[in-house]
Amino acid sequence: MSPASKNEVSAGNWKLALKKSNLAERARITTNIRVFFVERSFLEVSTPHRIPTNAPEIHINPIPSGDWQLHTSPELCMKRLLAAGYERLFQICPCWRQDELGSRHLPEFTLLEWYEAGADYRKQMTDCEELLCALVPGNVLIYQGREVILTRPWERLSISDAFSRYASISMDDALVKDRFDEIIALEIEPHLGIDKPLFLYDYPVEKAALAREKPGNAKVAERFELYVCGLELANGFSELNDAAEQRLRFEREETARRRTGRPPRPLPEKFLAELSAMPQAAGIALGLDRLIMLLTNAEKIDEVVAFTPEML
Amino acid sequence: MYTCSDLKKGLKVMIDGEPHVIAQFDFVKPGKGQALYKCKLRNMITGSLFDRTYRSGESFEPASLEDREMQYLYKDESGYVFMDQKNYEQIVLTEATLGDDKYFLVDNMEVKILIFNGQGIGITLPNFVNLRVTMADPWVKGDTAAGNNKPGEVEGGYTLQVPSFVEQGDLIQIDTRTGEYVTRVKE
């Protein structure tokens, strides 16, 4: 035996070959998703991936591309289409978010987004139920040794109830101490959607920059997250279409961004100008890679994409 | 100084005056929320493991360690013995310090020994090592499907997953950083 020299490093990439069945499954699932939406009269669109600016969000960092940015989500363009009278839209596209790299994150990942005029977040919860049931014949999923029953209806749990059930401190306390996200990630998420998928809903309005307030309760926004086996799969909401309120929220986020030392960005003015023409609508972003992880029983996101940054 | 975005498995940082290595790392971020960096840290002197979660904005001092080129000599009751070929100084590493790296040590192998306050606390092996397969199920003829694998054992007792065509007696290359099979070596 001897230490190997560098030039003996292999012909062919064995790790890439290992992904063959997951990648075939990925292609099959993606096709089925398209069929699901086309059958429901949703129009598939493709909006530019490189845009002048994204919606300012304090915890999402876009990747610059020249003077513009790669989109972190197709949300702004999709809503401009809604405002122009397109009623049901979907898109499957790559999105980019700086520095997000972990067992469930890649800086380049794929989102499935769909938007529907006249709908609210409850309708989109139903869409999620129907989509997964359509993708999983038999409605039973085995993920990392656990059996998840997909039969509708799924569980629905408000954020404030989730805090009282699982968290070590109250939600108000967590918000004041700026520990809201940390408590959700470390204390709450691991319990969610274990035997049956779960919708966590009604987020504090300051945690939903683009969502509509709940009628009769201005502290809460009609936003939800879908969890399956502790995995956060989708984020949906009843869309805010009050342009003045949206501008205020963007300005608040932009101020918070600048306070952390990040370079100033202009607000997406064309989006804001057209927003008041947008009908009442709901929109949702679902992490396609994570959905494929669930359906292929993959522990890490790396297993369901051909190339990760470190392989390039 | 390192920031949270530098954190990854294998990074060495100073915590409370002692060098620590990140043994496990994950990036966690609840929907639209703040990024969290979950680390399992190993104290490089005591070997003790503990969990800590950091939030963006925190910074870390790189561990002040000396990396010395040394040669592996032999193993005895005291542990694994290495020698600096320039001044013939010897350093002994324990089995606990080496962890799985002990399986990849080959006589006369040139390695880097990590030194903190005169004490050997870690090792960096060459990235690849060739070892002979001592145990693996025979190849089922016709099983050429890419992606099929099976357990195998190499000299020294290390076990790993190998492709179905690898058989007992083959020489294979292993990536010492991940412990994973790379390729079969043609002889």
Side-chain angles (χ1 to χ4, degrees), chain A residues 63-83:
Chain A
I63 295 180
S65 172
D67 290 340
W68 288 13
Q69 301 179 324
L70 297 177
H71 69 175
T72 59
S73 144
E75 181 164 5
L76 298 182
C77 288
M78 298 286 272
K79 286 190 189 170
R80 289 180 66 184
L81 286 164
L82 278 178

Side-chain angles (χ1 to χ4, degrees), chain A residues 25-303:
Chain A
E25 192 58 11
R26 181 181 178 114
R28 193 187 66 80
I29 293 163
T30 310
T31 303
N32 289 350
I33 291 171
R34 288 205 160 89
V35 169
F36 177 91
F37 284 102
V38 169
E39 279 178 351
R40 282 162 180 74
S41 308
F42 278 75
L43 177 70
E44 180 167 14
V45 294
S46 182
T47 60
H49 299 169
R50 186 174 166 273
I51 57 176
T53 195
N54 282 277
E57 291 192 69
I58 176 75
H59 296 307
I60 297 180
N61 293 322
I63 295 180
S65 172
D67 290 340
W68 288 13
Q69 301 179 324
L70 297 177
H71 69 175
T72 59
S73 144
E75 181 164 5
L76 298 182
C77 288
M78 298 286 272
K79 286 190 189 170
R80 289 180 66 184
L81 286 164
L82 278 178
Y86 294 78
E87 292 184 322
R88 278 181 290 276
L89 299 164
F90 80 102
Q91 178 160 198
I92 297 172
C93 61
C95 294
W96 292 262
R97 296 182 185 178
Q98 198 146 47
D99 292 333
E100 300 198 2
L101 184 63
S103 59
R104 296 169 175 188
H105 289 86
L106 285 171
E108 176 171 342
F109 62 105
T110 304
L111 279 180
L112 158 65
E113 294 209 354
W114 72 95
Y115 291 80
E116 184 173 3
D120 69 358
Y121 72 151
R122 280 175 209 88
K123 165 66 168 50
Q124 294 210 307
M125 293 187 205
T126 310
D127 289 348
C128 289
E129 291 173 336
E130 289 179 359
L131 174 64
L132 252 80
C133 286
L135 295 177
V136 182
N139 295 349
V140 179
L141 192 71
I142 307 284
Y143 186 67
Q144 302 296 303
R146 287 183 177 278
E147 193 177 270
V148 188
I149 310 290
L150 300 178
T151 319
R152 301 167 50 196
W154 295 348
E155 280 183 71
R156 285 158 171 77
L157 179 67
S158 75
I159 279 269
S160 58
D161 286 346
F163 266 85
S164 8
R165 196 183 290 183
Y166 300 116
S168 55
I169 60 174
S170 75
M171 185 176 90
D172 290 339
D173 233 19
L175 284 168
V176 170
K177 292 179 177 153
D178 191 24
R179 292 185 61 200
F180 181 84
D181 298 320
E182 174 195 335
I183 302 281
I184 296 223
L186 304 180
E187 298 184 15
I188 298 177
E189 278 190 352
H191 301 286
L192 303 181
I194 299 306
D195 306 315
K196 211 176 196 5
L198 180 145
F199 296 109
L200 195 60
Y201 70 96
D202 285 359
Y203 279 67
V205 73
E206 61 267 43
K207 297 289 175 189
L210 291 126
R212 183 181 76 188
E213 288 164 9
K214 202 179 172 76
N217 186 356
K219 289 170 83 175
V220 164
E222 290 194 342
R223 171 186 163 201
F224 71 93
E225 293 262 357
L226 167 61
Y227 286 91
V228 186
C229 270
L231 192 64
E232 179 205 342
L233 208 56
N235 171 47
F237 38 84
S238 306
E239 301 291 354
L240 178 66
N241 60 357
D242 176 337
E245 168 70 14
Q246 185 67 80
R247 179 180 293 278
L248 270 177
R249 293 202 203 164
F250 277 174
E251 282 168 353
R252 225 177 301 154
E253 291 283 325
E254 178 60 16
T255 308
R257 275 188 70 253
R258 291 183 194 185
R259 221 181 290 129
T260 63
R262 275 168 284 172
R265 294 293 308 179
L267 293 186
E269 290 297 343
K270 288 191 175 130
F271 164 77
L272 285 168
E274 292 166 19
L275 186 59
S276 46
M278 192 178 88
Q280 195 180 97
I284 178 168
L286 182 148
L288 186 74
D289 311 288
R290 294 201 189 155
L291 178 64
I292 313 283
M293 283 170 70
L294 266 182
L295 301 186
T296 57
N297 194 16
E299 191 193 351
K300 296 188 174 149
I301 196 166
D302 296 10
E303 298 165 35

Side-chain angles (χ1 to χ4, degrees), chain A residues 1-2 4 8-10 14-15 18 57 59 100-103 105 178 181-182 185 189 223 225 232 235, chain B residues 26-34 36 38 55 128 130-131 147 149 155 161 163 173 180-183 185:
Chain A
M1 55 188 179
S2 66
E8 280 171 292
V9 176
S10 128
W14 185 56
K15 273 181 148 173
L18 271 181
E57 291 192 69
H59 296 307
E100 300 198 2
L101 184 63
S103 59
H105 289 86
D178 191 24
D181 298 320
E182 174 195 335
E189 278 190 352
R223 171 186 163 201
E225 293 262 357
E232 179 205 342
N235 171 47
Chain B
D26 202 6
F27 171 88
V28 186
K29 192 173 188 290
K32 301 211 169 209
Q34 200 170 43
L36 299 165
K38 276 174 85 172
R55 294 155 47 134
F128 302 102
N130 294 342
L131 293 173
N149 56 41
E155 52 187 322
Q161 290 291 314
Q173 186 175 91
E180 288 171 1
Y181 167 90
V182 180
T183 187
V185 179

Side-chain angles (χ1 to χ4, degrees), chain B residues 27-47:
Chain B
F27 171 88
V28 186
K29 192 173 188 290
K32 301 211 169 209
Q34 200 170 43
L36 299 165
Y37 302 82
K38 276 174 85 172
C39 298
K40 199 176 268 299
L41 291 152
R42 176 179 283 112
N43 181 313
M44 296 179 74
I45 297 170
T46 64

Side-chain angles (χ1 to χ4, degrees), chain B residues 139-146 148 164-165:
Chain B
W139 183 36
V140 181
K141 210 176 169 203
D143 182 5
T144 52
N148 280 356
S164 55
F165 56 78

